[in-house]
Amino acid sequence: MKNLDRILRQLIAEACNHPPLSLERRQKLSEVHLLVMKSGKLWKEYTSYYNDALQEMWEYCCGHPEEYDPTIKGVITWLDDELKKRLRRFRDAGYRQQKRQITGLSTEEGKTIDPVDRVPAAPDLQPVMKIWQKTLDWVKTDPDGVLRQTCFRKRPEINAQVLIQLRLPPDQPWKTIAAEFKLTPPEAKDLPKFYNRKCLPLLRKFGVCEGYIEEESKTGRSKSTTKPQPRKKS
């Protein structure tokens, strides 16, 4: 744990030495994200809003690494504190919503329906986290090199590996990515198209190979092979 914290402190310090929108800064913060998620040390609770709170926490901490003070607490503790803040907000919002529902659920016969019965069971997050982590590992290692070879307009630094990482949670807006790579307006307009046409199919292919999703032909999205019949003359 001490060794992990030392590495995380070093990565955050290095990230702060780079400009906010630089690729180097994002890479350092991405390493922080990967190490923390792999460690399993982050605060966990099985609530329906946990993933939303987790995403908000990462978006905030990756956007404000300068707020981390190594003289006060460890990195995991800092992340836990930020995560718990957001969990409290979601929990308080849930209580307020529940209170409103109690008033609204009184029946004409004077009976009150317990809103707790309507709260959905907490989903099992572990399988989702495993899929997400394995997908991230595949993107970062790119064992076949196919992601690095899929480049946007002969610019090797803007390849499928980089773009998929930027679009995985916490995803970066296209406007921010275009500014980071100093794209012209036409290039900025074409980048999402390139992502949808070239990068997403590679991501989908990986998901199919791993059994995470079904092939398009099995989901009914494939085009019909039936030839159109000519219209009869009236």
PDB file of all heavy atoms in Angstrom, residues 43-53 87 90-91 120-125:
ATOM      1  N   TRP A  43     -12.958   3.082  -2.060  1.00  0.00           N
ATOM      2  CA  TRP A  43     -14.184   2.869  -1.289  1.00  0.00           C
ATOM      3  C   TRP A  43     -15.276   2.276  -2.188  1.00  0.00           C
ATOM      4  O   TRP A  43     -15.478   2.732  -3.317  1.00  0.00           O
ATOM      5  CB  TRP A  43     -14.670   4.184  -0.700  1.00  0.00           C
ATOM      6  CG  TRP A  43     -16.026   4.091  -0.047  1.00  0.00           C
ATOM      7  CD1 TRP A  43     -17.228   4.370  -0.602  1.00  0.00           C
ATOM      8  CD2 TRP A  43     -16.297   3.643   1.289  1.00  0.00           C
ATOM      9  NE1 TRP A  43     -18.240   4.155   0.294  1.00  0.00           N
ATOM     10  CE2 TRP A  43     -17.695   3.703   1.477  1.00  0.00           C
ATOM     11  CE3 TRP A  43     -15.488   3.220   2.355  1.00  0.00           C
ATOM     12  CZ2 TRP A  43     -18.302   3.348   2.664  1.00  0.00           C
ATOM     13  CZ3 TRP A  43     -16.106   2.863   3.543  1.00  0.00           C
ATOM     14  CH2 TRP A  43     -17.489   2.930   3.691  1.00  0.00           C
ATOM     15  N   LYS A  44     -15.966   1.267  -1.659  1.00  0.00           N
ATOM     16  CA  LYS A  44     -17.029   0.630  -2.438  1.00  0.00           C
ATOM     17  C   LYS A  44     -18.285   0.517  -1.594  1.00  0.00           C
ATOM     18  O   LYS A  44     -18.211   0.310  -0.382  1.00  0.00           O
ATOM     19  CB  LYS A  44     -16.607  -0.774  -2.885  1.00  0.00           C
ATOM     20  CG  LYS A  44     -15.551  -0.778  -3.972  1.00  0.00           C
ATOM     21  CD  LYS A  44     -15.216  -2.203  -4.370  1.00  0.00           C
ATOM     22  CE  LYS A  44     -14.120  -2.209  -5.420  1.00  0.00           C
ATOM     23  NZ  LYS A  44     -13.711  -3.582  -5.769  1.00  0.00           N
ATOM     24  N   GLU A  45     -19.394   0.667  -2.227  1.00  0.00           N
ATOM     25  CA  GLU A  45     -20.675   0.352  -1.604  1.00  0.00           C
ATOM     26  C   GLU A  45     -21.654  -0.003  -2.699  1.00  0.00           C
ATOM     27  O   GLU A  45     -21.540   0.487  -3.832  1.00  0.00           O
ATOM     28  CB  GLU A  45     -21.184   1.525  -0.762  1.00  0.00           C
ATOM     29  CG  GLU A  45     -21.480   2.788  -1.550  1.00  0.00           C
ATOM     30  CD  GLU A  45     -22.014   3.893  -0.651  1.00  0.00           C
ATOM     31  OE1 GLU A  45     -21.386   4.173   0.373  1.00  0.00           O
ATOM     32  OE2 GLU A  45     -23.066   4.452  -0.986  1.00  0.00           O
ATOM     33  N   TYR A  46     -22.574  -0.874  -2.393  1.00  0.00           N
ATOM     34  CA  TYR A  46     -23.468  -1.385  -3.423  1.00  0.00           C
ATOM     35  C   TYR A  46     -24.768  -0.601  -3.421  1.00  0.00           C
ATOM     36  O   TYR A  46     -25.786  -1.037  -2.886  1.00  0.00           O
ATOM     37  CB  TYR A  46     -23.698  -2.879  -3.218  1.00  0.00           C
ATOM     38  CG  TYR A  46     -22.411  -3.647  -3.394  1.00  0.00           C
ATOM     39  CD1 TYR A  46     -21.645  -4.021  -2.293  1.00  0.00           C
ATOM     40  CD2 TYR A  46     -21.943  -3.940  -4.669  1.00  0.00           C
ATOM     41  CE1 TYR A  46     -20.442  -4.686  -2.466  1.00  0.00           C
ATOM     42  CE2 TYR A  46     -20.751  -4.604  -4.851  1.00  0.00           C
ATOM     43  CZ  TYR A  46     -20.002  -4.975  -3.739  1.00  0.00           C
ATOM     44  OH  TYR A  46     -18.816  -5.622  -3.921  1.00  0.00           O
ATOM     45  N   THR A  47     -24.692   0.579  -4.001  1.00  0.00           N
ATOM     46  CA  THR A  47     -25.871   1.423  -4.159  1.00  0.00           C
ATOM     47  C   THR A  47     -26.086   1.690  -5.643  1.00  0.00           C
ATOM     48  O   THR A  47     -25.150   1.598  -6.441  1.00  0.00           O
ATOM     49  CB  THR A  47     -25.686   2.765  -3.430  1.00  0.00           C
ATOM     50  OG1 THR A  47     -24.416   3.328  -3.801  1.00  0.00           O
ATOM     51  CG2 THR A  47     -25.701   2.572  -1.928  1.00  0.00           C
ATOM     52  N   SER A  48     -27.310   2.023  -5.995  1.00  0.00           N
ATOM     53  CA  SER A  48     -27.642   2.203  -7.408  1.00  0.00           C
ATOM     54  C   SER A  48     -26.915   3.401  -8.017  1.00  0.00           C
ATOM     55  O   SER A  48     -26.756   3.479  -9.231  1.00  0.00           O
ATOM     56  CB  SER A  48     -29.155   2.369  -7.575  1.00  0.00           C
ATOM     57  OG  SER A  48     -29.608   3.480  -6.818  1.00  0.00           O
ATOM     58  N   TYR A  49     -26.495   4.350  -7.184  1.00  0.00           N
ATOM     59  CA  TYR A  49     -25.856   5.559  -7.710  1.00  0.00           C
ATOM     60  C   TYR A  49     -24.344   5.524  -7.562  1.00  0.00           C
ATOM     61  O   TYR A  49     -23.671   6.525  -7.808  1.00  0.00           O
ATOM     62  CB  TYR A  49     -26.418   6.784  -6.964  1.00  0.00           C
ATOM     63  CG  TYR A  49     -26.504   6.609  -5.463  1.00  0.00           C
ATOM     64  CD1 TYR A  49     -25.396   6.778  -4.654  1.00  0.00           C
ATOM     65  CD2 TYR A  49     -27.708   6.246  -4.870  1.00  0.00           C
ATOM     66  CE1 TYR A  49     -25.478   6.589  -3.275  1.00  0.00           C
ATOM     67  CE2 TYR A  49     -27.802   6.063  -3.493  1.00  0.00           C
ATOM     68  CZ  TYR A  49     -26.685   6.241  -2.709  1.00  0.00           C
ATOM     69  OH  TYR A  49     -26.757   6.058  -1.341  1.00  0.00           O
ATOM     70  N   TYR A  50     -23.783   4.380  -7.178  1.00  0.00           N
ATOM     71  CA  TYR A  50     -22.335   4.313  -6.943  1.00  0.00           C
ATOM     72  C   TYR A  50     -21.538   4.653  -8.209  1.00  0.00           C
ATOM     73  O   TYR A  50     -20.589   5.432  -8.168  1.00  0.00           O
ATOM     74  CB  TYR A  50     -21.949   2.929  -6.445  1.00  0.00           C
ATOM     75  CG  TYR A  50     -20.454   2.783  -6.203  1.00  0.00           C
ATOM     76  CD1 TYR A  50     -19.874   3.252  -5.036  1.00  0.00           C
ATOM     77  CD2 TYR A  50     -19.631   2.206  -7.165  1.00  0.00           C
ATOM     78  CE1 TYR A  50     -18.521   3.142  -4.810  1.00  0.00           C
ATOM     79  CE2 TYR A  50     -18.270   2.089  -6.955  1.00  0.00           C
ATOM     80  CZ  TYR A  50     -17.708   2.552  -5.774  1.00  0.00           C
ATOM     81  OH  TYR A  50     -16.349   2.448  -5.580  1.00  0.00           O
ATOM     82  N   ASN A  51     -21.936   4.056  -9.345  1.00  0.00           N
ATOM     83  CA  ASN A  51     -21.177   4.308 -10.581  1.00  0.00           C
ATOM     84  C   ASN A  51     -21.220   5.771 -10.990  1.00  0.00           C
ATOM     85  O   ASN A  51     -20.233   6.322 -11.486  1.00  0.00           O
ATOM     86  CB  ASN A  51     -21.724   3.435 -11.719  1.00  0.00           C
ATOM     87  CG  ASN A  51     -21.071   2.068 -11.726  1.00  0.00           C
ATOM     88  OD1 ASN A  51     -20.057   1.852 -11.041  1.00  0.00           O
ATOM     89  ND2 ASN A  51     -21.633   1.151 -12.462  1.00  0.00           N
ATOM     90  N   ASP A  52     -22.380   6.417 -10.803  1.00  0.00           N
ATOM     91  CA  ASP A  52     -22.487   7.837 -11.144  1.00  0.00           C
ATOM     92  C   ASP A  52     -21.575   8.669 -10.250  1.00  0.00           C
ATOM     93  O   ASP A  52     -20.896   9.587 -10.715  1.00  0.00           O
ATOM     94  CB  ASP A  52     -23.933   8.315 -10.985  1.00  0.00           C
ATOM     95  CG  ASP A  52     -24.854   7.690 -12.013  1.00  0.00           C
ATOM     96  OD1 ASP A  52     -24.364   7.395 -13.117  1.00  0.00           O
ATOM     97  OD2 ASP A  52     -26.035   7.497 -11.714  1.00  0.00           O
ATOM     98  N   ALA A  53     -21.574   8.351  -8.950  1.00  0.00           N
ATOM     99  CA  ALA A  53     -20.709   9.077  -8.022  1.00  0.00           C
ATOM    100  C   ALA A  53     -19.238   8.834  -8.347  1.00  0.00           C
ATOM    101  O   ALA A  53     -18.409   9.752  -8.281  1.00  0.00           O
ATOM    102  CB  ALA A  53     -21.011   8.649  -6.584  1.00  0.00           C
ATOM    103  N   LEU A  87     -21.262  10.549  -2.993  1.00  0.00           N
ATOM    104  CA  LEU A  87     -22.230   9.538  -2.552  1.00  0.00           C
ATOM    105  C   LEU A  87     -23.240  10.149  -1.580  1.00  0.00           C
ATOM    106  O   LEU A  87     -24.437   9.825  -1.626  1.00  0.00           O
ATOM    107  CB  LEU A  87     -21.486   8.378  -1.886  1.00  0.00           C
ATOM    108  CG  LEU A  87     -20.727   7.446  -2.844  1.00  0.00           C
ATOM    109  CD1 LEU A  87     -19.811   6.507  -2.057  1.00  0.00           C
ATOM    110  CD2 LEU A  87     -21.689   6.642  -3.697  1.00  0.00           C
ATOM    111  N   PHE A  90     -25.823  12.093  -3.595  1.00  0.00           N
ATOM    112  CA  PHE A  90     -26.807  11.204  -4.225  1.00  0.00           C
ATOM    113  C   PHE A  90     -27.752  10.631  -3.179  1.00  0.00           C
ATOM    114  O   PHE A  90     -28.957  10.510  -3.404  1.00  0.00           O
ATOM    115  CB  PHE A  90     -26.082  10.068  -4.959  1.00  0.00           C
ATOM    116  CG  PHE A  90     -25.598  10.445  -6.329  1.00  0.00           C
ATOM    117  CD1 PHE A  90     -24.279  10.768  -6.553  1.00  0.00           C
ATOM    118  CD2 PHE A  90     -26.476  10.473  -7.407  1.00  0.00           C
ATOM    119  CE1 PHE A  90     -23.826  11.119  -7.821  1.00  0.00           C
ATOM    120  CE2 PHE A  90     -26.043  10.816  -8.676  1.00  0.00           C
ATOM    121  CZ  PHE A  90     -24.715  11.147  -8.877  1.00  0.00           C
ATOM    122  N   ARG A  91     -27.202  10.260  -2.004  1.00  0.00           N
ATOM    123  CA  ARG A  91     -28.027   9.677  -0.947  1.00  0.00           C
ATOM    124  C   ARG A  91     -29.044  10.700  -0.436  1.00  0.00           C
ATOM    125  O   ARG A  91     -30.230  10.390  -0.273  1.00  0.00           O
ATOM    126  CB  ARG A  91     -27.132   9.213   0.196  1.00  0.00           C
ATOM    127  CG  ARG A  91     -27.868   8.388   1.261  1.00  0.00           C
ATOM    128  CD  ARG A  91     -26.906   7.949   2.355  1.00  0.00           C
ATOM    129  NE  ARG A  91     -25.799   7.197   1.811  1.00  0.00           N
ATOM    130  CZ  ARG A  91     -24.519   7.571   1.860  1.00  0.00           C
ATOM    131  NH1 ARG A  91     -24.199   8.711   2.430  1.00  0.00           N
ATOM    132  NH2 ARG A  91     -23.584   6.818   1.346  1.00  0.00           N
ATOM    133  N   PRO A 120     -35.216  -0.226  -6.681  1.00  0.00           N
ATOM    134  CA  PRO A 120     -34.644  -1.409  -7.317  1.00  0.00           C
ATOM    135  C   PRO A 120     -33.460  -1.932  -6.533  1.00  0.00           C
ATOM    136  O   PRO A 120     -32.753  -1.188  -5.861  1.00  0.00           O
ATOM    137  CB  PRO A 120     -34.204  -0.882  -8.702  1.00  0.00           C
ATOM    138  CG  PRO A 120     -34.036   0.581  -8.508  1.00  0.00           C
ATOM    139  CD  PRO A 120     -35.046   0.990  -7.478  1.00  0.00           C
ATOM    140  N   ALA A 121     -33.257  -3.245  -6.605  1.00  0.00           N
ATOM    141  CA  ALA A 121     -32.125  -3.857  -5.907  1.00  0.00           C
ATOM    142  C   ALA A 121     -30.821  -3.342  -6.487  1.00  0.00           C
ATOM    143  O   ALA A 121     -30.709  -3.037  -7.677  1.00  0.00           O
ATOM    144  CB  ALA A 121     -32.211  -5.371  -6.057  1.00  0.00           C
ATOM    145  N   ALA A 122     -29.817  -3.220  -5.624  1.00  0.00           N
ATOM    146  CA  ALA A 122     -28.515  -2.735  -6.074  1.00  0.00           C
ATOM    147  C   ALA A 122     -27.911  -3.729  -7.060  1.00  0.00           C
ATOM    148  O   ALA A 122     -27.878  -4.924  -6.800  1.00  0.00           O
ATOM    149  CB  ALA A 122     -27.583  -2.575  -4.884  1.00  0.00           C
ATOM    150  N   PRO A 123     -27.458  -3.254  -8.222  1.00  0.00           N
ATOM    151  CA  PRO A 123     -26.890  -4.173  -9.201  1.00  0.00           C
ATOM    152  C   PRO A 123     -25.530  -4.678  -8.752  1.00  0.00           C
ATOM    153  O   PRO A 123     -24.849  -4.043  -7.965  1.00  0.00           O
ATOM    154  CB  PRO A 123     -26.758  -3.283 -10.450  1.00  0.00           C
ATOM    155  CG  PRO A 123     -26.611  -1.902  -9.906  1.00  0.00           C
ATOM    156  CD  PRO A 123     -27.433  -1.863  -8.655  1.00  0.00           C
ATOM    157  N   ASP A 124     -25.175  -5.845  -9.248  1.00  0.00           N
ATOM    158  CA  ASP A 124     -23.856  -6.393  -8.955  1.00  0.00           C
ATOM    159  C   ASP A 124     -22.847  -5.705  -9.866  1.00  0.00           C
ATOM    160  O   ASP A 124     -22.824  -5.924 -11.073  1.00  0.00           O
ATOM    161  CB  ASP A 124     -23.869  -7.899  -9.216  1.00  0.00           C
ATOM    162  CG  ASP A 124     -22.554  -8.534  -8.805  1.00  0.00           C
ATOM    163  OD1 ASP A 124     -21.681  -7.800  -8.319  1.00  0.00           O
ATOM    164  OD2 ASP A 124     -22.415  -9.754  -8.965  1.00  0.00           O
ATOM    165  N   LEU A 125     -22.022  -4.838  -9.300  1.00  0.00           N
ATOM    166  CA  LEU A 125     -21.113  -4.023 -10.103  1.00  0.00           C
ATOM    167  C   LEU A 125     -19.851  -4.762 -10.489  1.00  0.00           C
ATOM    168  O   LEU A 125     -19.149  -4.349 -11.411  1.00  0.00           O
ATOM    169  CB  LEU A 125     -20.738  -2.761  -9.316  1.00  0.00           C
ATOM    170  CG  LEU A 125     -21.887  -1.831  -8.954  1.00  0.00           C
ATOM    171  CD1 LEU A 125     -21.377  -0.704  -8.084  1.00  0.00           C
ATOM    172  CD2 LEU A 125     -22.557  -1.297 -10.198  1.00  0.00           C
TER     173      LEU A 125
END
